[in-house]
Amino acid sequence: MSAMLDNSTDPQAACYNIAAVERDTGLSKDTLRVWERRYGFPKPRRDHHDERLYSLPDLEKLRLLRLLIDQGHRPGKIINRSTTELSQLISARAPEQSTPPEIAVIIEMLLLHDVDRFRNALLQALMKQGLLRFVTETVAGLNHWIGEAWLAGRVQVFDEHLYSEHIQNILRNAIIAQPGRGSGPRVLLTSLPGEKHRIGLLMVEAVLCAEGAACVALGTETPIIDIKDAVPAYRADVVALSFSSAIPQAAALAGLAELRTLLPEGIEVWGGGGALARARKTAPGVLLLRSFDDLRYALERWRVEHAMR
Amino acid sequence: MSAMLDNSTDPQAACYNIAAVERDTGLSKDTLRVWERRYGFPKPRRDHHDERLYSLPDLEKLRLLRLLIDQGHRPGKIINRSTTELSQLISARAPEQSTPPEIAVIIEMLLLHDVDRFRNALLQALMKQGLLRFVTETVAGLNHWIGEAWLAGRVQVFDEHLYSEHIQNILRNAIIAQPGRGSGPRVLLTSLPGEKHRIGLLMVEAVLCAEGAACVALGTETPIIDIKDAVPAYRADVVALSFSSAIPQAAALAGLAELRTLLPEGIEVWGGGGALARARKTAPGVLLLRSFDDLRYALERWRVEHAMR
DNA sequence: CGCGCTCATTTGTCTTGGACATATCTGGGA
DNA sequence: TCCCAGATATGTCCAAGACAAATGAGCGCG
């Protein structure tokens, strides 16, 4: 099938075929070929059958390019700069602001790669603050810090992975530990295809559970049509969608509007997350939640309105 | 970039572009095109610019084909049979062996969309069986059942989403509850880009924790180079990768081999999961784990070998 | 000065048909 | 029965062209 292990000729100049580069950089084969055609980079050497063999330096530069493009740079503007220039571009970012001590401790342990103490620092913050404050202050602050540090290149990929896993462990643990539902609505909670961020979703779930709502969490990336079918199946009163700031605001609003048209009048649609935090406009029939306080108000409002009936 | 909602024209005859089919079936664009050229299937209609638009029935048949091919059938032999014939081939293979009562109860609650009882049934099975048996018997059995039922259309998308979320909640809860590490190796646990299945990874993590190993979980889709950098940072002794059956076996072996060349001799590389469960060949310097028993055996062997030094 | 519109450019994805390496099957000989 | 060689099946790669979606620039208007 695939010819991997391409460093058969020269052990120190390991070679990667186009499939390996696609996997390691996230750039599609088509993109790699069209960059070579248009910009002259990367220009890999070829094996005996004219198939591309990328060098390790090329692979590293491609990963830097990918990072910068994700941050908003245009490929054509940066592709012909040197690797060192690209590194400087990454580290040239505004320094962080003062962080509260709880957050600073957690970050320190993460950067020291001390897994056990990192876990304990998180658990300690949770115990000290309680679930609600932990989520709305500490986790939100950590997310923000990690996002900034990631852009500045001060955090490595695996640090972010480890962070995400442990936050998930702790939030899911807290969610399970919640007592049964109270008087709130049944909230169907998920995100639309393209939105892969799970932590925001779990934060909302934790807050909802802590406030006594019954949460039906479907994880990320549920197609709209399946959300429509899930609402009657689980007898949901509200559908809540999360949009991270990776999603364009217009796309988030469009998704909410489309879902709104598919659902009956009595079902409420809520939207929140980074993409909508600064939204001016709203969608008709959709409730935008710009903060966790908004979320709690919305819950309270729902309770008041439905207690009368 | 990515065309998400493709069913803009006709709601009932939803259309999928080639990228969506690749994502949903795991068959590469190249494969889809070459099948059309060679076998005449699938033969999608084209949009105004001659781009392929696959129908939902085609997509479903492609999924069946993918499953049968993974089971050992040859594409050329089955590609021109009808969808019903293919379904029969699938159900003929697995005579729906009797499911144990623990599993049957859980499945029943899932299909009834009774979230609370579903959760309770899972928790009860965990309490009754203990973590190890729960993971290796109940969760493994449920995964298998869900996979089969999904192909047979007996399970809806949102059922699967809900299932995945709750299994994650419970496994992560169990993982956190484990006492500190024992005498085992530090195992770095993750999957390669393209492998999005989290449950298998969590199952492994649960077993490792239960057996006293120190687990450093990085979640899914860690690029190989970042795995290489993570090993010294976390002082890992072993890197374990999980490959679900959605991944081609060759790709899994190639990834393992590449990682092997990047890591120093002293670091072990383990691979497991559905993609490798039936692998005949292995990769040099890589330990293939074809079952959870293999995993426990590997742990034991590591302990013996490293106790002597 | 900000806002929205239009037009130009950039950039990623899709197209075709050919080529070939590797996996798998088949048949023959020890 | 086992193993090897040749035939077949199958997936991946290549080339250059085309175009649509995303982005940026220019411009008029309140």
Side-chain angles (χ1 to χ4, degrees):
Chain A
M1 303 273 175
S2 56
M4 290 285 154
L5 260 273
D6 309 302
N7 46 358
S8 45
T9 54
D10 192 357
Q12 66 191 9
C15 289
Y16 303 86
N17 66 14
I18 197 168
V21 175
E22 173 183 50
R23 196 191 48 208
D24 289 356
T25 65
L27 300 164
S28 77
K29 299 183 182 87
D30 276 326
T31 299
L32 289 166
R33 285 192 276 253
V34 89
W35 280 8
E36 182 179 343
R37 200 195 320 167
R38 287 193 188 137
Y39 311 119
F41 178 86
K43 200 129 202 164
R45 59 192 185 85
R46 305 301 185 103
D47 67 6
H48 67 99
H49 183 55
D50 250 20
E51 304 203 343
R52 292 170 174 79
L53 292 178
Y54 294 85
S55 68
L56 187 57
D58 279 357
L59 193 114
E60 283 165 354
K61 181 170 170 185
L62 286 169
R63 300 180 84 233
L64 289 179
L65 285 169
R66 173 70 202 263
L67 195 64
L68 287 164
I69 288 166
D70 284 347
Q71 289 176 23
H73 286 83
R74 308 296 309 266
K77 308 269 185 185
I78 55 175
I79 197 168
N80 280 317
R81 303 200 189 177
S82 73
T83 304
T84 43
E85 275 182 296
L86 297 179
S87 303
Q88 286 164 5
L89 261 184
I90 288 178
S91 45
R93 297 238 354 153
E96 75 218 59
Q97 300 136 29
S98 63
T99 51
E102 292 93 359
I103 295 183
V105 171
I106 296 170
I107 288 170
E108 193 191 342
M109 291 305 134
L110 179 66
L111 293 184
L112 285 175
H113 310 121
D114 190 329
V115 181
D116 292 330
R117 284 200 208 152
F118 170 64
R119 193 187 89 137
N120 288 338
L122 281 173
L123 282 172
Q124 240 173 353
L126 171 60
M127 294 303 157
K128 186 175 156 192
Q129 303 182 307
L131 181 56
L132 216 54
R133 276 190 58 215
F134 177 71
V135 168
T136 57
E137 296 176 18
T138 302
V139 179
L142 283 170
N143 283 343
H144 184 258
W145 187 90
I146 294 262
E148 288 289 319
W150 161 251
L151 290 178
R154 289 198 303 276
V155 160
Q156 294 185 269
V157 171
F158 55 79
D159 287 324
E160 207 188 358
H161 278 232
L162 188 88
Y163 167 76
S164 174
E165 282 299 296
H166 278 259
I167 291 285
Q168 281 191 61
N169 281 347
I170 286 184
L171 288 180
R172 298 186 112 111
N173 185 48
I175 287 165
I176 273 215
Q178 291 298 311
R181 41 190 299 211
S183 61
R186 289 179 75 87
V187 181
L188 191 77
L189 183 63
T190 185
S191 74
L192 297 187
E195 170 59 69
K196 300 179 204 294
H197 289 73
R198 323 175 78 80
I199 292 187
L201 228 31
L202 285 171
M203 290 166 72
V204 174
E205 188 178 355
V207 169
L208 287 174
C209 286
E211 297 281 345
C215 224
V216 181
L218 297 187
T220 59
E221 303 199 82
T222 309
I224 289 192
I225 294 187
D226 296 300
I227 297 177
K228 185 201 72 179
D229 294 337
V231 166
Y234 294 114
R235 302 181 309 286
D237 305 304
V238 175
V239 176
L241 298 183
S242 166
F243 300 90
S244 76
S245 39
I247 301 285
Q249 189 187 107
L253 290 172
L256 286 166
E258 186 178 342
L259 182 64
R260 174 70 279 175
T261 67
L262 289 177
L263 291 176
E265 283 289 326
I267 310 294
E268 297 196 9
V269 177
W270 299 355
L276 300 172
R278 296 181 184 180
R280 300 175 190 172
K281 300 179 180 176
T282 180
V286 172
L287 188 59
L288 288 198
L289 311 174
R290 294 182 179 76
S291 67
F292 280 101
D293 283 337
D294 281 2
L295 175 61
R296 295 162 67 191
Y297 291 146
L299 265 184
E300 195 50 47
R301 184 193 52 70
W302 192 94
R303 282 208 181 89
V304 170
E305 286 184 10
H306 289 74
M308 301 187 173
R309 292 197 303 184
Chain B
M1 306 284 169
S2 59
M4 286 285 153
L5 290 215
D6 311 303
N7 45 359
S8 46
T9 55
D10 192 356
Q12 65 192 9
C15 288
Y16 302 86
N17 64 15
I18 197 170
V21 175
E22 174 182 49
R23 192 192 51 207
D24 290 354
T25 64
L27 299 165
S28 77
K29 300 183 182 88
D30 275 326
T31 299
L32 289 166
R33 285 193 276 254
V34 90
W35 279 8
E36 182 179 343
R37 201 195 317 168
R38 288 195 187 133
Y39 310 119
F41 179 87
K43 199 130 201 163
R45 61 192 183 86
R46 304 301 184 104
D47 68 5
H48 66 101
H49 183 56
D50 253 19
E51 303 202 344
R52 293 170 173 81
L53 291 179
Y54 294 85
S55 68
L56 187 58
D58 280 357
L59 190 97
E60 284 165 355
K61 181 168 170 186
L62 286 169
R63 280 208 273 243
L64 293 178
L65 286 169
R66 172 68 204 262
L67 185 84
L68 287 165
I69 289 166
D70 285 347
Q71 289 175 9
H73 288 82
R74 307 294 313 264
K77 307 270 184 185
I78 56 174
I79 198 167
N80 281 317
R81 304 202 189 176
S82 73
T83 304
T84 44
E85 277 182 293
L86 296 179
S87 302
Q88 286 164 5
L89 264 184
I90 288 177
S91 43
R93 185 196 56 81
E96 188 71 31
Q97 44 213 356
S98 61
T99 50
E102 293 93 359
I103 294 183
V105 170
I106 296 170
I107 288 170
E108 193 191 342
M109 291 304 135
L110 179 66
L111 293 184
L112 285 175
H113 310 121
D114 190 330
V115 181
D116 292 330
R117 284 200 208 153
F118 171 64
R119 194 188 87 138
N120 288 339
L122 281 173
L123 281 171
Q124 240 172 355
L126 171 59
M127 293 304 158
K128 185 174 156 194
Q129 301 183 307
L131 182 55
L132 214 54
R133 275 190 58 215
F134 177 71
V135 168
T136 57
E137 295 176 18
T138 302
V139 179
L142 283 169
N143 283 344
H144 183 258
W145 187 91
I146 293 260
E148 292 284 328
W150 184 75
L151 286 167
R154 292 198 301 275
V155 159
Q156 296 187 267
V157 171
F158 56 77
D159 287 324
E160 209 186 355
H161 278 233
L162 189 87
Y163 166 76
S164 172
E165 283 298 298
H166 278 259
I167 290 284
Q168 280 192 61
N169 281 347
I170 286 183
L171 288 180
R172 298 186 113 111
N173 186 48
I175 287 165
I176 275 214
Q178 290 298 311
R181 43 191 297 210
S183 62
R186 288 179 76 87
V187 181
L188 191 77
L189 182 63
T190 186
S191 75
L192 296 188
E195 170 59 68
K196 300 181 205 292
H197 288 73
R198 323 175 78 79
I199 293 186
L201 227 32
L202 285 171
M203 290 165 73
V204 173
E205 187 178 355
V207 169
L208 287 175
C209 286
E211 296 281 343
C215 223
V216 181
L218 296 187
T220 58
E221 303 198 84
T222 309
I224 289 193
I225 294 188
D226 296 302
I227 298 176
K228 185 201 72 177
D229 294 337
V231 165
Y234 294 114
R235 301 182 310 284
D237 305 304
V238 175
V239 176
L241 298 184
S242 166
F243 299 90
S244 76
S245 42
I247 300 286
Q249 188 186 107
L253 290 172
L256 287 166
E258 188 180 337
L259 182 64
R260 174 71 280 174
T261 67
L262 289 178
L263 291 175
E265 283 289 327
I267 310 295
E268 296 195 9
V269 176
W270 298 355
L276 300 172
R278 295 184 182 180
R280 300 174 194 172
K281 301 179 179 176
T282 180
V286 172
L287 188 58
L288 288 196
L289 310 175
R290 294 183 179 78
S291 68
F292 280 102
D293 283 336
D294 280 3
L295 175 62
R296 294 162 67 189
Y297 185 78
L299 263 185
E300 195 50 46
R301 184 193 50 72
W302 192 93
R303 282 207 181 91
V304 170
E305 285 185 10
H306 289 75
M308 300 188 172
R309 292 198 302 185

